[in-house]
Amino acid sequence: MYASEIVAVGMAVPDRIVTNDDLSKLMDTNDEWITQRSGIRERRWVDAQTTTSDLALRAAERAIAAAGIKKEDIELIVMATLSPDHDFPGTGCFLQAKLGLAGCATLDIRQACSGFLYGLSVADQFIKTGMYKTVLLVGAEVHSKGLDVSTRGRDVAVLFGDGAGAAILKRTDATNSSRVLSTHLHAEGAHAQELWLPGPGMNLGAERVSRAMLDEGLIYPKMNGKKVFAHAIRRMAEVLMEGLAANNTKLEDIDLFLFHQANLRINEMLAQELKIPPEKVFNTIHKYGNTTAATIPIGMSEAVAAGKLKKGMLVASAAFGSGFTWASALYRW
Ligand code: UT7
């Protein structure tokens, strides 16, 4: 019987720091509103030349080096992003070429904020069945090029940032204590339009992209913030408890919680509701904003670097986002 072990992680963020005060020069917003409502103080934005697969490459190279593997050992690349380099082919293909690899399988995951945990589940299943021994899993986003940075888009634009995180998963014996214990995935497509990108798209009339679509701002993400907020807390709590029950584990047994980073208030309310001590929740949102598929591997990387995530620790992750989709994972580091 096989299991998968997360043997190493890596992350990459652009050098350019964009503060809340910087945003207030582009739109009608202010540091107080953003900090109080979301906990975000700054985020990173790429330059014009950098794309999602570039950030993914940097994170992947760091994870590969930290794992001490040859890049040629990678048999599958799972790439989670909602901000692809192009509509097709998948960003995993561009990443593969930039890594200088050819022949291994690539698979893109489009489950937005839940993308990394969906990808972790996919990687875990391929390893458990014996099909692959080594998988590269990446979550990467370039949001800054796709946001409406005028006052019209301020409710969304202030929340998102660019970044990437990567993990190397390797086959291990199912008796190894360091392993992915379980993953739990859900979706409810009836809420797809509560947080979405309407255009360009095949569902908008005769043309996939039109001048009117640009004028109406349909090429920018739209969000029903209050509804997303309420569902996020409920679903993350539910799916976390589902993971604990599946492993006969109690909340007190978890050493560290690495939640998706959409809003500090969501994670604080979740911890309060479940009576999780705040020091067990590792957050990075104040520095990077919401980097969607990248928040959890960035959290892993920063927690390792800060000495907060150590070998043998029992970790729980949960995420919620567009779709709606939500997911959790329990793993021993
Ligand atoms: O990864 C998963 C995806 N996202 C999430 O999980 C986000 C979930 N939702 C949220 O985090 C919150 O709903 C927000 C942070 C987006 C908004 O907080 P809120 O407390 O729900 O504020 P609101 O949308 O009710 O807006 C309150 C006011 C409005 O003004 P009026 O109508 O009361 O006059 C907005 O127009 O704040 C205004 N507003 C802003 N003001 C300054 C909206 N965006 C901004 C802004 N700066 N950036």
Side-chain angles (χ1 to χ4, degrees):
M1 287 285 283
Y2 300 128
S4 29
E5 180 182 0
I6 303 170
V7 294
V9 287
M11 65 172 277
V13 290
D15 293 336
R16 182 178 167 204
I17 296 172
V18 177
T19 64
N20 294 342
D21 285 339
D22 292 333
L23 291 182
S24 71
K25 291 173 194 129
L26 300 171
M27 62 187 87
D28 181 13
T29 190
N30 56 75
D31 177 52
E32 193 188 355
W33 192 96
I34 302 171
T35 308
Q36 278 182 6
R37 306 267 175 157
S38 72
I40 299 167
R41 296 189 176 274
E42 56 190 43
R43 73 285 295 138
R44 304 295 181 100
W45 282 7
V46 293
D47 56 29
Q49 283 70 41
T50 303
T51 187
T52 302
S53 62
D54 293 324
L55 289 182
L57 173 68
R58 284 179 222 159
E61 284 177 337
R62 285 170 189 162
I64 291 166
I69 61 164
K70 294 198 302 293
K71 63 184 180 183
E72 291 76 16
D73 295 341
I74 295 166
E75 296 163 299
L76 169 68
I77 296 172
V78 181
M79 175 76 225
T81 185
L82 68 66
S83 49
D85 287 12
H86 300 277
D87 276 11
F88 73 88
T91 304
C93 293
F94 293 100
L95 172 62
Q96 186 205 47
K98 286 180 181 175
L99 276 166
L101 292 175
C104 71
T106 71
L107 181 62
D108 271 40
I109 304 267
R110 302 191 61 201
Q111 265 49 28
C113 298
S114 311
F116 187 80
L117 295 182
Y118 264 73
L120 182 68
S121 185
V122 168
D124 187 40
Q125 311 312 317
F126 272 117
I127 288 176
K128 277 184 185 154
T129 59
M131 184 146 172
Y132 297 125
K133 289 197 222 46
T134 308
V135 179
L136 167 64
L137 168 61
V138 187
E141 308 286 355
V142 168
H143 286 307
S144 57
K145 295 186 188 187
L147 296 171
D148 180 356
V149 293
S150 71
T151 298
R152 180 179 66 178
R154 66 181 180 172
D155 59 324
V156 173
V158 301
L159 301 176
F160 291 89
D162 304 339
I168 301 290
L169 282 98
K170 287 192 76 169
R171 180 197 284 180
T172 186
D173 197 89
T175 57
N176 186 7
S177 68
S178 287
R179 65 181 201 277
V180 176
L181 296 167
S182 68
T183 53
H184 306 270
L185 311 178
H186 298 280
E188 194 174 13
H191 301 298
Q193 297 185 1
E194 303 293 352
L195 173 52
W196 70 316
L197 185 67
M202 306 307 182
N203 197 25
L204 295 165
E207 289 175 308
R208 191 179 149 273
V209 58
S210 66
R211 183 79 250 165
M213 200 183 288
L214 301 179
D215 293 343
E216 286 168 43
L218 296 179
I219 59 158
Y220 298 118
K222 311 282 176 236
M223 177 173 70
N224 179 349
K226 285 202 191 310
K227 189 160 181 184
V228 174
F229 194 102
H231 278 252
I233 294 172
R234 177 156 74 90
R235 294 307 196 181
M236 283 167 75
E238 260 175 35
V239 75
L240 192 62
M241 298 315 284
E242 182 186 344
L244 294 172
N247 292 282
N248 263 327
T249 304
K250 297 191 294 298
L251 273 168
E252 307 83 86
D253 301 328
I254 306 294
D255 298 306
L256 192 69
F257 293 87
L258 287 175
F259 295 136
H260 171 53
Q261 306 285 301
N263 186 324
L264 188 62
R265 281 165 57 220
I266 292 178
N267 291 357
E268 285 174 351
M269 286 172 77
L270 181 64
Q272 205 177 356
E273 197 176 298
L274 297 177
K275 301 191 176 51
I276 298 170
E279 61 275 14
K280 280 196 176 182
V281 183
F282 189 81
N283 291 311
T284 57
I285 190 161
H286 52 292
K287 291 197 284 187
Y288 305 126
N290 183 349
T291 56
T292 309
T295 62
I296 290 176
I298 285 177
M300 290 172 169
S301 303
E302 294 232 323
V304 168
K308 304 252 183 207
L309 176 52
K310 297 189 198 118
K311 188 90 181 146
M313 279 184 154
L314 185 59
V315 189
S317 285
F320 176 89
S322 172
F324 289 154
T325 57
W326 60 102
S328 70
L330 238 71
Y331 42 100
R332 196 171 287 280
W333 203 252

